[in-house]
Amino acid sequence: MNYLTVDKIIKEALIEDVPNEDISTNAIISEDSLSSIELLCKEEGIIAGLKVFKRVYEILGNVEVILYKKDGDKIYSKDKLAFLKGSTRNILLGERVSLNLIQRMSGIATLTNLFVSELEGSNTKLLDTRKTTPNLRILEKYAVKVGGGNNHRFNLSDGIMLKDNHISACGGIEKAVDIARENISFVRKIEVETENLDMVKEAIKANVDIIMLDNMDLEMAKEAVKIINKKAITEFSGNVSLQNIKKIAQIGVDYVSVGAITHSFKVLDLSMKNLNRIN
């Protein structure tokens, strides 16, 4: 994880939450007040973002954070995850931002892990997508990795993927691939989105590296895998759920991409409790 980018995310979140000052805290808490507090788990899940949580307080300063767990650990209700000690003002000032980030990341890691568990025993791997929260992609894709998933493209500069509108704009898969090859480095892989078996055959003829089976039913996807016959990496995408991902894996695709893990997750319930004044 690029901590230059993470610091930028944290600082912008703090500015959003505290554009001038925390008037509630500053009205009642003296500047030299010191306290301790605990980060607690309120439900079972996979923890992700502990170092991000800690980094919030490193940026604010004057708060020591001791972590009791590490990213990827299975956690349970009432588990103590961290202990904080230092400036009462800064503890309270960073509470919402630090919780927002770690709760989101842990929710993604938890949901990702559920999908990964469904793939156990198969050779199919789970991928995320670019369907992430704007400006939080690096954190959310990191959380996917913590949950046991794999990252697809981070951005549009990260790989060649020719989707339906690219193909339509060029007049077909072969034309789109030929044009792409003329304009990119030979070290770049090319992925093509296909929606039917004719498109799959055209993608094979174009000698692409990765073929996405987009929104196909299982019977069509199974036939597509047979036609491809290891001539390209296969990726299944569209309408994937916890209920059907095991069946998708059984048709023999190399990867399954799931947008839900970064756009339809539930945040993991964590809280900062048991504040004790030191002075």
Side-chain angles (χ1 to χ4, degrees):
M1 188 162 34
N2 185 338
Y3 278 93
L4 292 175
T5 305
V6 172
D7 281 3
K8 183 174 183 288
I9 291 170
I10 292 171
K11 288 175 182 177
E12 288 180 350
L14 288 169
I15 290 169
E16 177 185 54
D17 206 32
V18 195
N20 296 303
E21 65 171 318
D22 178 357
I23 59 174
S24 302
T25 298
N26 293 354
I28 61 171
I29 304 295
S30 65
E31 193 171 348
D32 61 355
S33 171
L34 300 176
S35 296
S36 66
I37 198 169
E38 294 175 321
L39 174 65
L40 304 177
C41 176
K42 298 174 71 176
E43 63 178 328
E44 182 178 325
I46 302 295
I47 191 68
L50 283 165
K51 290 183 179 179
V52 174
F53 176 90
K54 184 176 181 179
R55 186 62 183 152
V56 172
Y57 288 101
E58 289 175 344
I59 289 171
L60 290 173
N62 298 320
V63 178
E64 179 186 9
V65 180
I66 299 171
L67 301 177
Y68 296 146
K69 302 287 184 178
K70 64 181 186 300
D71 284 353
D73 283 349
K74 185 73 174 286
I75 57 173
Y76 302 90
S77 178
K78 299 182 181 179
D79 277 357
K80 295 180 180 180
L81 309 179
F83 176 80
L84 296 79
K85 182 175 69 174
S87 165
T88 308
R89 283 190 173 189
N90 284 357
I91 286 173
L92 296 174
L93 188 151
E95 179 179 4
R96 186 72 271 151
V97 168
S98 60
L99 283 175
N100 281 348
L101 295 176
I102 195 171
Q103 286 180 306
R104 293 183 70 84
M105 294 174 72
S106 298
I108 290 169
T110 299
L111 181 56
T112 298
N113 192 253
L114 292 176
F115 275 95
V116 170
S117 296
E118 290 296 313
L119 294 175
E120 285 182 5
S122 75
N123 293 319
T124 303
K125 295 180 180 179
L126 183 76
L127 292 174
D128 56 22
T129 71
R130 286 168 39 247
K131 295 175 182 177
T132 55
T133 308
N135 299 319
L136 296 182
R137 183 172 294 167
I138 188 172
L139 300 184
E140 295 184 348
K141 281 184 170 280
Y142 168 78
V144 168
K145 293 283 285 184
V146 170
N150 298 272
N151 296 146
H152 206 296
R153 295 184 298 170
F154 269 76
N155 51 59
L156 291 174
S157 301
D158 212 22
I160 308 296
M161 181 188 287
L162 304 179
K163 299 172 78 72
D164 53 352
N165 289 330
H166 295 110
I167 293 165
S168 297
C170 291
I173 289 175
E174 287 191 87
K175 288 183 179 179
V177 172
D178 286 343
I179 294 169
R181 285 207 172 100
E182 289 176 5
N183 292 292
I184 63 170
S185 167
F186 71 95
V187 301
R188 294 277 193 176
K189 290 184 177 181
I190 296 178
E191 179 170 5
V192 168
E193 181 182 273
T194 63
E195 299 174 347
N196 54 57
L197 298 182
D198 287 338
M199 294 179 76
V200 169
K201 293 172 183 176
E202 191 177 358
I204 294 170
K205 189 176 178 181
N207 197 30
V208 303
D209 302 288
I210 308 163
I211 298 176
M212 177 190 289
L213 312 178
D214 187 49
N215 286 300
M216 291 186 182
D217 61 43
L218 290 182
E219 284 303 312
M220 183 184 291
K222 186 176 181 179
E223 184 63 27
V225 170
K226 288 181 181 178
I227 292 170
I228 295 166
N229 193 27
K230 303 296 183 181
K231 297 182 183 75
I233 295 168
T234 52
E235 176 188 342
F236 188 99
S237 180
N239 299 312
V240 182
S241 68
L242 284 169
Q243 289 70 41
N244 67 13
I245 192 169
K246 187 174 290 187
K247 290 182 179 179
I248 293 169
Q250 288 171 352
I251 69 176
V253 291
D254 298 303
Y255 294 95
V256 178
S257 54
V258 182
I261 55 178
T262 54
H263 71 60
S264 297
F265 63 92
K266 173 186 172 294
V267 299
L268 195 67
D269 196 2
L270 311 173
S271 66
M272 291 172 66
K273 291 290 187 182
N274 303 328
L275 188 142
N276 289 303
R277 291 284 299 272
I278 297 173
N279 70 342

